[in-house]
Amino acid sequence: MHDLQRLPPIDFSGPAQFEVRDLHFSYPNGQAALRGIDLSIAAGDRIALVGQNGSGKSTLIRHLNGLLPVQQGELIYQGEPLVGEHLRRARLEIGVLFQDPDDQLFCSTLYDDVCFGLVNQGMALETVEPLVRQALASVGLEGLIYKPSHHLSYGQKKRAALACLLAMRPQVLILDEPTANLDPGQEKILVELLRQYSGTLICITHDLLFAFELCQRAVVLDHGQIHHDYTMAELVAHPPSMREHGLDFSFRLAGLANQDLPPLQACTLLPEPPADTGTASHSKGTAVLALGNYRFSYPDGTQALQGVDFVLHAGESVAIVGENGAGKTTLLSCLMGIQSGTGEHSLEGANLSRKQRQLLWRKVGMVFQDPADQLFCASCAEEVAFGPRQLGLPAEEVERRVDQALQRVRLSGYHHRVPLHLSGGERKRLAIATVLSMQPELLILDEPTAGLDPQGEELLLEILKELPQTRILVSHDPFLVAELTQRTLVMHRGRVLEDYSTADFLADQSQKSLNLLALGYRQQRSREILELQHQHQHSHAHYHLHDHPHRHGELVHSHPHEHQHDHPHAYTHTHGADSSEHCHPPEVGYHEHSHPGHEEEEHRHVHPEDESSDG
Amino acid sequence: MHISDGVLPISVALGSGVASLAIAAWSVKQTANEDLPKVAVVTASFFVSSLIHVPLGPTSVHLLIPGLVGVLLGPAAFLAILLGLLLQSLLFQFGGLTALGANALMMGIPALLCGLLFKRLRGDTQKQHVLVGGLAGGGGTLLAAALLALLLASGGEDFFGVMKLALLAHLPVFVVEGLVSAFTVSFLFRVKPELLAQQLGAAS
Amino acid sequence: MSETQAMQLPLIYLLLAVFLCGTLWWLALWTLKTASHRHQEGQQERDWSVPLIDSAAGGDSLFHRWDVRFKLVALLGFAFLVVATRSPWSALLAMLLGLLAVRLARLPFARSLRRLLAMSGFLAMFLLIMPLTAVPHPGDFLLTFSGIDFLRFNLRGLSLALAIVGKACAVALLMEPLLATASLPRTVEGLTRLGVPEKVGQMILLAHRYIFVFLEEARRMATGMQVRGFQRRTSMQTLRVMGNYLGMLFVRSFERTHRVYDAMQARGYQGRFPAPAYFSVGKSDWLHTACWLLLGLLLLCFDRFWLGN
């Protein structure tokens, strides 16, 4: 379903804000990143730029603010090519929110950071102060104006970076993966802030729920070309084209549909609902790891854990949820023995001394949120072999485990690839392989799907489901929690607030709205998308019954007749998320709409009157 | 090892201060203007890596890496080292404020020489890269130790004992630095060879 | 006096001296630990809505109110004058002045103590070696201890070492009053007003900012290695891993430099950072500066003429 010639879904009058014509770009190593981009962006457009990792999204936005020079083609902003003095001025009107806020907060205090752009806009230092205060107040950081940015939390940094841009009152705001690594609370704030923003919004994201919330238009990139230019609703309503571009997140909706949505019309292609998860937690195995009244304080005095009791049984999968700073990460590092606090800590019933805790790495494997923190070798094979070598295994065994682990994470044959050159999803899987090769009894996963595109997410989920290990999962993602775990621990300010079955937890969410997981607007949007997916347009060959004047050679006459058309129509129907098949038959119906040019075409069909076909 | 305040005779402290200012000015000139912020950010990573301790028998040594800085930054290395030392002095009191010039000379000159050596000799193969990288890493430290000795010796014959000890203390560090540098260069060669090929900030 | 003088003391004196130094060192360490602990317990989140340059927030003292440019000139000048002295007595005096400065600036002593301890290794080397290796000159006083007669302690060496330690401590003590009484950007701005190129000033601030980012990155990577069983030993394998670790740190930092530079350009960077103007000069600035420089000069004169060095 590629309708490349379609007009942008939003009408605009007057000149476009951005006019991109036949833009090509190749990196110095010869790799073509953009291949003939044509795009018009009107002032006030809200565009989601989506596509697989490596499809050229980042390259495109780096053109839009002149960070990359135009090699071939045209790029016009406000009627002028984006070069020289015009580029300098344009940059002051185009705000870019990059992925890592640490890259953008390069001054000593938040004040200076916000000041930086304003002063570059030509404002006098004496007059900017109210603007700086206002900008920081609008993102809720007015109390931290003179704080050095390295003291902020990740979410605060992200908001501060946004404040730096908003202060400049940009006409265009470009966001690169704005929700990556944000916890749901912070994400909600960000969504609110962006909703209030009235200029042009261009947003790169894998998170279609987020995009659906904020954007009206979706531009799908694939291998440096624009494949679709839709309204957002059209995109999310059409799983096959999302699937084609690795964007299909419908697998998430399936789980949600089973929770508390009104039952949908039956469709055989919908996946089976997951097995009842509530019962699993009752069949308890032996305790693998246990903490009793465990406390931990950081050297700076922060009490991160305040009396945690936690027993993990063999074969169990437990989710740990809670807002950022609730003590989840500290709990993990204590379980791993990286940090050592006071209280009981036992492995398989035997209490662990401080020394023994440091040997826990032999039994417990941990996958970090950012694979960059875990990968430090020059080839994948070395990387995966590192752990088994530290265990002191013989060379053949190490080799066998490397092969096995790489195969497990679908990276067979990657032995000599350089980890640093892999894509985000591959790096994540490699990080998992490095841990799997040590064959840990317990596997700890910290936000395993952070930063992955939906396709990568689905693959990872598949891999994780296959693993036999006892698991601990830290995640903000209700879908992941529902799919992978049977038991949930809710943490809050260093304490375990709740410890119950995941099913109870998910039910609890909607009642108490603890706001711990990414529900809220997401749930709302998910439902809307589900609805949309059942009534949406299809463009595939189907039959029409017509009544219009038409021509057979010299003869022009009019009568109802049937023939095949290929154009979109709205159908109300259901179909599976993972298939392009449809439950609905290509119906024959009477249509009253026009088919431009159709009447002039030659018609070949049998006329019952004269039993002959005209030419 | 950084020289602290009060060790060097005042004339040497002032003289080396002036000399290092002159070299720093040259280093700034050699660096493309728009690359200066980049050099600053990279300096932070050198700062951090000089805090890393490598175990050595019963104790551990922290890395000095003048050679590696030179390999990676070329002419901008002196500037980076001066900045790094200034910050170390300000934040941790590693090296005195009045001895900053002397410390910068002691670390910066080896860095410049090793950078030049690496650029000339690195060749195309990994083997040669690693060899020259190790040579630059170890040589940088050796040269730094020699300069330290020279600076200490400027205090007169009473300082010869300290000087000998300082030289002796640098011997194991020299071996460690050479090996670590060789491994680092080998890693970079396989992972991101462009870092070794074009020295950041070298005016192009 | 053309001959060296010699004297022998019981060994116990030496042992006592060494023991005393060791105890003092431990005491300092312990004080630092408890002080930092107490500091955290009573710690209150600073009110970050008030700028550090506002003297009421960052502390209020003579040093806080002092114009940064004058402070830099005065204390740097004083430091060089102190370094120019030669005798341990003037070093001791300078140290006392340093202590006075810390006191006047109303700064917690713990931070200054940390600075002193950071140098202690390097300085201990001088204290240990210099008395043994200083070349005996006519008029030197040589000390030996019974039992270890072969070791001759030259008191002139000891006095040289003590002078060095004293001067180092004096300057180190000045560092806190010099740096902690104004925010770093302000101090750097002061430096640029004194002739340091603006570009270099900005580089100092940028480097300082990213040290914290890279420290965090390095720490996370070290943990990542630790959970996969990496232990630092004296072995080739350790060195290889350290090489990779350093390499990775550099790769990440180089990649970050480009991203930071992009972000700067995207916000209209044209090669200049906005430089806030913080300065106002009063009579007292001149007075303080003159006062410190005069003190330094007096100290130097005292050292050179009174003590006759």
Side-chain angles (χ1 to χ4, degrees), chain A residues 38 127 278 301 322 344 372 378 393 404 410 467 500 552 582 598 600:
Chain A
D38 284 297
T127 55
E344 277 174 50
L393 296 173
Q404 193 189 18
R410 320 281 196 274
L467 299 178
Y500 47 20
H552 299 279
H582 297 113
H598 175 66
E600 301 310 312

Side-chain angles (χ1 to χ4, degrees), chain A residues 62 88 91 100 102-105 113 120 125 143 146-147 149 299 338 373-374 376 383 390 420, chain C residues 40 45 48-49 51 209-210 220 225 227-229 244 248 252 256 259 262 264-267 270 275:
Chain A
R62 284 159 62 80
R88 199 190 66 75
R91 274 183 179 154
D100 188 345
D102 273 323
D103 295 342
Q104 299 169 77
L105 303 172
D113 266 314
N120 284 334
L125 269 165
Y146 295 102
K147 197 163 179 168
S149 35
I338 302 167
D373 296 333
Q374 239 173 337
F376 49 87
E383 196 74 68
Q390 295 294 321
L420 203 73
Chain C
Q40 275 136 22
E45 178 66 356
W48 291 105
S49 58
R209 159 79 181 98
Y210 283 98
R220 285 203 310 265
M225 282 155 52
V227 301
R228 274 158 70 198
N244 284 0
M248 204 65 207
R252 290 178 82 170
R256 193 180 286 279
R259 297 201 305 266
D262 278 355
M264 285 162 72
Q265 277 193 307
R267 297 226 304 273
Q270 293 284 309

Side-chain angles (χ1 to χ4, degrees), chain A residues 1-153:
Chain A
M1 181 189 162
H2 286 173
D3 22 25
L4 298 162
Q5 282 79 42
R6 275 187 69 149
L7 288 169
I10 293 162
D11 307 322
F12 50 84
S13 49
Q17 193 168 27
F18 279 104
E19 190 69 56
V20 183
R21 285 190 219 120
D22 195 34
L23 185 68
H24 288 259
F25 185 81
S26 304
Y27 281 103
N29 61 10
Q31 184 201 345
L34 297 180
R35 299 184 299 170
I37 298 281
D38 284 297
L39 187 65
S40 295
I41 298 172
D45 247 357
R46 294 168 90 84
I47 297 181
L49 205 55
V50 294
Q52 268 158 317
N53 286 336
S55 57
K57 295 167 296 183
S58 299
T59 313
L60 180 57
I61 62 159
R62 284 159 62 80
H63 276 91
L64 292 184
N65 69 345
L67 286 176
L68 289 174
V70 175
Q71 286 178 345
Q72 188 192 332
E74 256 188 306
L75 171 59
I76 290 169
Y77 172 73
Q78 309 276 43
E80 276 180 65
L82 209 49
V83 284
E85 183 60 16
H86 182 58
L87 170 63
R88 199 190 66 75
R89 263 178 289 136
R91 274 183 179 154
L92 299 173
E93 298 172 2
I94 304 172
V96 190
L97 187 70
F98 293 94
Q99 258 187 53
D100 188 345
D102 273 323
D103 295 342
Q104 299 169 77
L105 303 172
F106 38 75
C107 299
S108 302
T109 63
L110 294 190
Y111 184 95
D112 292 336
D113 266 314
V114 179
C115 224
F116 181 84
L118 289 173
V119 173
N120 284 334
Q121 278 182 330
M123 257 173 247
L125 269 165
E126 297 74 39
T127 55
V128 293
E129 190 176 336
L131 290 174
V132 174
R133 284 190 182 278
Q134 195 192 341
L136 283 167
S138 72
V139 298
L141 296 175
E142 65 271 42
L144 307 175
I145 288 185
Y146 295 102
K147 197 163 179 168
S149 35
H150 59 262
H151 285 312
L152 301 180
S153 75

Side-chain angles (χ1 to χ4, degrees), chain A residues 12 74 87 167 180 197 215 220 245 258 270 311 333 374-375 387 393 428 475 555 568 584 589 601:
Chain A
F12 50 84
E74 256 188 306
L87 170 63
Y197 173 72
C215 303
V220 182
H245 299 289
N258 283 304
L270 270 177
V311 182
S333 39
Q374 239 173 337
L375 304 178
L393 296 173
K428 190 76 187 193
S475 181
L555 173 71
H584 63 93
E601 285 168 15

